[in-house]
């Protein structure tokens, strides 16, 4: 079961209301003296910063509170699948697999919201450690297994690592989030065909590639898909779900790790996302403010 993370809010609604009663917001400056105006601007800026911090705290709090019950649902579901309460028919097993997949999808969306609010509030922590590329790819594949199995009749998925991959010194969890998102997108946007996830040693680093033979991305959308909440029009109609944060988070995580992401795509032919990672992420474990 995925452990839930601890969360401590910095702001509460009542604390913010006490700090800034509503009448403060509407009180106009007494005159047009530049000093008074400057003070007024500074006061409003502080108010805005507090309101923004409150918004991000509220987003984090809600997302965090949703994780715990979802993890419990997943735990009970796993017990049922393991036949802890008696043998299952094929139909029952299949239904439980669907429950698991929907719960995992929701968990992924909650995690994206949490990652986004941490990035926005400057509370993202980079924790570098040694990462064996082959092990990382195996983990990505195994965590995506329920989604791969769901698509097994339409899509062939292969994951290969180089025979002798260098060991990276980077933040394992963040790099895993990036690769899992690319694989999950490839699965969502490839109705039929092939998906390849690979890694190869290159000058001073490792290049990962996620290739699919899916619907592709129009040329004029290729840069915009990295903006938050951006989704190519029409793609959701084919039953795909998401909040439009995955690629934005991937790009910002890679920025923190000293890596980068590129995409090539042709509509109707497929897409290739390439992630380049340096051998060593230079930043020490820090809280970015
Ligand atoms: P989400 O997948 O949650 O919508 P992302 O930020 O991961 O958000 O992706 C943004 C958008 O980019 C998607 O909604 C989709 O329109 C497009 N996209 C991403 N990956 C692919 C892909 N492999 N093939 C086609 N379109 C893609």
């Amino acid at each position: 079961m995925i452990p839930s993370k601890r969360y401590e809010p910095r702001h509460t609604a009542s604390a913010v209301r006490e700090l800034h009663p509503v009448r403060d917001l509407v009180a106009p400056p007494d005159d047009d003296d530049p000093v008074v105006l400057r003070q007024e601007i500074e006061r409003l800026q502080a108010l805005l910063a507090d309101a923004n911090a409150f918004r991000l705290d509220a987003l984090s709090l809600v997302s965090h509170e949703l994780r715990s019950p979802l993890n419990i649902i997943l735990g009970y579901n796993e017990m049922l699948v393991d036949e802890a309460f008696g043998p299952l028919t094929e139909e029952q097993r299949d239904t439980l697999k669907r429950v698991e997949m929907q719960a995992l999808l929701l968990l992924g969306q909650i995690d994206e919201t949490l990652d986004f609010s941490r990035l926005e509030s400057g509370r993202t922590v980079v924790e570098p450690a040694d990462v064996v590329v082959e092990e990382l790819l195996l983990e990505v594949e195994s965590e995506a297994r329920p989604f791969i199995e769901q698509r097994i009749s339409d899509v062939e998925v292969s994951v290969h690592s180089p025979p002798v991959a260098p060991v990276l010194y980077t933040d394992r969890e963040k790099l895993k989030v990036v690769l899992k998102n690319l694989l999950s997108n490839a699965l969502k946007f490839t109705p039929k065909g092939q998906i390849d996830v690979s890694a190869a040693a290159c000058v001073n680093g490792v290049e990962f590639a996620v290739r699919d033979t899916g619907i592709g991305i129009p040329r004029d959308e290729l840069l915009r898909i990295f903006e938050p909440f951006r989704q190519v029009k029409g793609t959701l109609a084919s039953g795909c779900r998401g909040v439009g944060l995955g690629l934005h988070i991937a790009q910002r995580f890679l920025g923190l790790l000293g890596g980068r992401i590129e995409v090539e795509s042709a509509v109707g032919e497929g897409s290739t996302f390439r992630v380049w990672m340096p051998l060593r992420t230079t930043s020490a474990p820090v809280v970015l403010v």
Side-chain angles (χ1 to χ4, degrees), residues 30-269:
D30 291 340
D31 51 40
D32 40 349
D33 176 341
V35 177
V36 175
L37 279 176
R38 181 184 296 272
Q39 282 170 349
E40 182 60 7
I41 289 169
E42 281 169 5
R43 189 184 68 83
L44 289 174
Q45 277 172 339
L47 203 61
L48 199 62
D50 265 342
N52 199 36
F54 169 64
R55 182 180 64 87
L56 292 167
D57 273 345
L59 195 63
S60 273
L61 183 62
V62 171
S63 310
H64 187 264
E65 290 306 312
L66 289 173
R67 284 187 110 253
S68 310
L70 248 184
N71 276 319
I72 293 169
I73 291 171
L74 277 164
Y76 280 124
N77 202 65
E78 199 177 319
M79 285 167 78
L80 287 166
V81 171
D82 291 345
E83 304 193 321
F85 303 108
L88 298 172
T89 64
E90 263 320 294
E91 206 180 356
Q92 286 167 334
R93 185 174 295 279
D94 188 53
T95 308
L96 290 173
K97 283 275 160 205
R98 284 168 199 274
V99 172
E100 182 193 25
M101 214 189 69
Q102 293 303 322
L104 286 173
L105 272 174
L106 195 52
L107 200 58
Q109 287 169 6
I110 292 169
D111 282 345
E112 279 185 358
T113 313
L114 265 171
D115 283 339
F116 180 66
S117 66
R118 280 201 199 101
L119 279 165
E120 287 292 295
S121 57
R123 277 179 279 169
T124 303
V125 181
V126 177
E127 293 171 293
D130 283 345
V131 177
V132 178
V133 170
E134 194 178 2
E135 284 173 16
L136 181 73
L137 286 183
L138 283 175
E139 256 176 66
V140 168
E141 187 185 14
S142 106
E143 288 177 28
R145 186 58 37 212
F147 304 97
I148 298 175
E149 277 170 7
Q150 195 71 19
R151 303 294 321 281
I152 217 142
S153 57
D154 311 308
V155 182
E156 199 179 309
V157 179
S158 75
V159 180
H160 11 241
S161 169
V164 192
V167 173
L168 294 174
Y169 181 73
T170 192
D171 188 317
R172 174 193 199 86
E173 287 310 310
K174 290 189 179 49
L175 182 55
K176 197 161 78 177
V177 164
V178 171
L179 296 172
K180 271 170 62 179
N181 177 260
L182 296 181
L183 176 54
S184 140
N185 276 348
L187 285 161
K188 277 198 288 190
F189 300 110
T190 307
K192 211 168 180 53
Q194 174 77 32
I195 296 170
D196 287 303
V197 182
S198 62
C202 63
V203 185
N204 293 330
V206 172
E207 189 181 275
F208 297 88
V210 180
R211 292 188 185 79
D212 67 61
T213 58
I215 62 174
I217 303 161
R219 213 180 161 70
D220 58 342
E221 291 281 352
L222 283 178
L223 288 178
R224 290 196 228 151
I225 52 173
F226 293 95
E227 292 168 10
F229 305 107
R230 187 88 198 180
Q231 295 176 312
V232 179
K233 277 204 187 83
T235 48
L236 289 182
S238 55
C240 305
R241 282 173 40 186
V243 285
L245 282 175
L247 289 177
H248 177 73
I249 291 169
Q251 193 178 45
R252 286 181 72 179
F253 274 2
L254 290 169
L256 295 176
L257 304 182
R260 60 173 188 272
I261 183 165
E262 287 165 8
V263 55
E264 260 172 57
S265 188
V267 172
E269 289 176 26

